[in-house]
Amino acid sequence: MGTGTTRHEIPGTTIFDGAEAQKGYALNKMCFSFNDGTNRAAFLDDEEAYCHRYGLSDDQTKAIRDRDVLRLLELGGHPYYLAKFAGIFRLDVQDLGALQTGLSKEEFQARLVAAGR
Amino acid sequence: MARIVGSIMSTHVPSIAGAMSRHAEGEPYWKPFFDGYEPVRAWLDEVRPDVAVVVHNDHGLNFFLDKMPTFAVGCAPQYLHADEGWGIPEVEPFPGDPQLSWHLVESLIGEEFDLTTCQEMLVDHAVTNPMQLCWPDPDDRAAIRIVPVTVNTVMFPYPSARRCYALGEAIGRAITSYDAEEDLKVVLMGTGGLSHQLEGRRAGFINKEFDLRFLESLTEEPAWATQYSGEDLVRLTGSQGVELLMWLTARAALLGGARKVTSNYHIPISNTAAGTVVLEPAA
């Protein structure tokens, strides 16, 4: 599935377009629901049931269970909605940056500081 | 009549709200960033705007992927903040200015911008953070009416830099043609940026060289960034660095030359190259 549009690849980056939005719709809709504290609690109460209720695929449900951010992105997750999923576990954007780049949080922070020199 | 007193461009990194609620502004990590707002507040004390037109991008509080407008204008009597899911403190509602909103809508659609109009609109950190940075006292914020303008940078294709620039110019013309009873002073705000990327193996990407060139362009060569496509901007500034589209829109609304009142640039705040600029229309 594509959008019929050719893109130039940007390494380490997914352009979130219509094809991605369609692939990740259920996953992102679930994460959007986490704006509401009642929904966050319902998710924590029974994660599998909550994923099922939103119609996530088996792969998406597994990636949620594994807290596998890179896989969730591959499966159509959008960073803004996934941030609400990560927020349930009090992970900030530097925790997520470290997870995605395979660095420790300290190494990831050092890299950011170096970009300012 | 109404006139534009200037444009404020400001980063809107979510962690800013947490730092302000902890009173951490003076800590070594935060100080170089917050110091950049002292001259902004001094300038605001002088020009005393009545209304802020806040060009921003929603991050999944007001809009979801089910309906994603390219450009949306708030036309509500007030705008509520709400739980964003990851624990930043909620702030008081912001008063709106529906009459100015509807005038903007008439004028912009009259210029063939196909807008979405919103009589209810939640505003997220992209509005609340810059408002708190500019007016830390809630009483001061309550005295400023806002008109939020939302630009889609959630889902490709985004509006082009050229189109955002044209929208900004049209906003400028709309405000200056507004037949207000009082002498209405309007400030533009463009929130977000500068270079940063949150997701993927390129998370943490920052491009200081590009940011500095962009900052320089704002006064003398404001349309410089319109040469770039949406994909170019992702490549050059990171997936979320494209928020410079808000800056371009707010800059273009000044309709002509601009003078820099103050400027600050600091790396990093969270994963972001943080920028703060105030421009006034050139006399």
Side-chain angles (χ1 to χ4, degrees), chain B residues 158-191:
Chain B
Y158 308 148
S160 69
R162 193 177 302 280
R163 188 64 172 158
C164 290
Y165 196 87
L167 176 73
E169 291 179 313
I171 290 173
R173 286 189 290 271
I175 292 168
T176 47
S177 72
Y178 183 51
D179 190 14
E181 283 171 25
E182 44 182 331
D183 173 25
L184 193 75
K185 289 179 286 187
V186 180
V187 67
L188 261 291
M189 294 174 80
T191 92

Side-chain angles (χ1 to χ4, degrees), chain B residues 27-262:
Chain B
E27 291 176 5
Y29 178 84
W30 288 104
K31 191 169 166 24
F33 170 72
F34 279 104
D35 280 355
Y37 288 85
E38 293 304 327
V40 179
R41 291 167 195 160
W43 177 78
L44 284 167
D45 270 346
E46 221 174 278
V47 298
R48 302 203 157 274
D50 304 294
V51 184
V53 174
V54 188
V55 183
H56 73 286
N57 55 306
D58 181 69
H59 303 72
L61 182 68
N62 188 62
F63 293 113
F64 179 60
L65 297 168
D66 59 336
K67 304 169 193 75
M68 187 54 67
T70 297
F71 296 125
V73 175
C75 305
Q78 69 169 357
Y79 301 92
L80 305 183
H81 187 212
D83 189 345
E84 297 187 40
W86 22 256
I88 67 169
E90 287 176 45
V91 301
E92 316 75 19
F94 298 87
D97 187 336
Q99 191 182 319
L100 176 58
S101 290
W102 292 120
H103 170 74
L104 277 180
V105 166
E106 292 278 350
S107 185
L108 295 174
I109 292 181
E111 291 205 37
E112 300 181 345
F113 286 89
D114 303 319
L115 305 174
T116 297
T117 58
C118 304
Q119 290 196 65
E120 288 185 50
M121 184 190 263
L122 295 174
V123 291
D124 72 8
H125 61 275
V127 172
T128 62
N129 272 359
M131 290 298 292
Q132 288 177 283
L133 283 164
C134 290
W135 293 278
D137 184 335
D139 290 340
D140 291 339
R141 284 200 298 281
I144 306 283
R145 308 193 292 279
I146 70 166
V147 174
V149 175
T150 317
V151 176
N152 165 39
T153 53
V154 174
M155 189 180 112
F156 253 73
Y158 308 148
S160 69
R162 193 177 302 280
R163 188 64 172 158
C164 290
Y165 196 87
L167 176 73
E169 291 179 313
I171 290 173
R173 286 189 290 271
I175 292 168
T176 47
S177 72
Y178 183 51
D179 190 14
E181 283 171 25
E182 44 182 331
D183 173 25
L184 193 75
K185 289 179 286 187
V186 180
V187 67
L188 261 291
M189 294 174 80
T191 92
L194 288 168
S195 61
H196 64 298
Q197 175 156 337
L198 299 176
E199 84 289 3
R201 296 192 194 279
R202 204 170 72 136
F205 175 80
I206 281 175
N207 188 345
K208 183 177 178 180
E209 191 184 344
F210 182 92
D211 286 344
L212 293 178
R213 179 70 186 86
F214 175 65
L215 285 168
E216 188 185 282
S217 75
L218 288 170
T219 41
E220 299 301 328
E221 208 184 345
W224 173 77
T226 63
Q227 67 183 293
Y228 296 111
S229 72
E231 280 175 61
D232 287 340
L233 289 175
V234 170
R235 185 168 43 80
L236 289 165
T237 71
S239 299
Q240 288 79 36
V242 299
E243 289 168 343
L244 70 80
L245 295 174
M246 319 305 148
W247 289 46
L248 268 184
T249 310
R251 166 61 184 94
L254 295 180
L255 301 174
R259 186 185 76 81
K260 191 172 287 180
V261 177
T262 183

Side-chain angles (χ1 to χ4, degrees), chain A residues 83-98:
Chain A
K84 297 173 192 293
F85 168 60
I88 295 178
F89 308 100
R90 291 281 176 258
L91 294 172
D92 65 30
V93 290
Q94 293 182 342
D95 294 314
L96 293 173

Side-chain angles (χ1 to χ4, degrees), chain A residues 3-74:
Chain A
T3 58
T5 302
T6 309
R7 298 194 189 285
H8 302 288
E9 197 174 325
I10 303 170
T13 307
T14 303
I15 296 284
F16 189 91
D17 58 12
E20 293 297 316
Q22 199 172 336
K23 185 167 74 182
Y25 193 79
L27 169 63
N28 290 314
K29 190 168 179 176
M30 179 179 86
C31 293
F32 179 67
S33 80
F34 297 148
N35 278 327
D36 188 321
T38 315
N39 294 335
R40 297 195 290 273
F43 171 80
L44 287 171
D45 192 48
D46 188 342
E47 294 193 17
E48 300 279 331
Y50 201 86
C51 290
H52 183 72
R53 197 205 308 171
Y54 277 85
L56 270 63
S57 69
D58 290 346
D59 285 347
Q60 288 168 336
T61 304
K62 178 177 185 317
I64 285 283
R65 191 189 310 129
D66 296 343
R67 319 287 188 243
D68 186 343
V69 180
L70 288 174
R71 184 72 180 134
L72 288 166
L73 289 167
E74 278 172 17

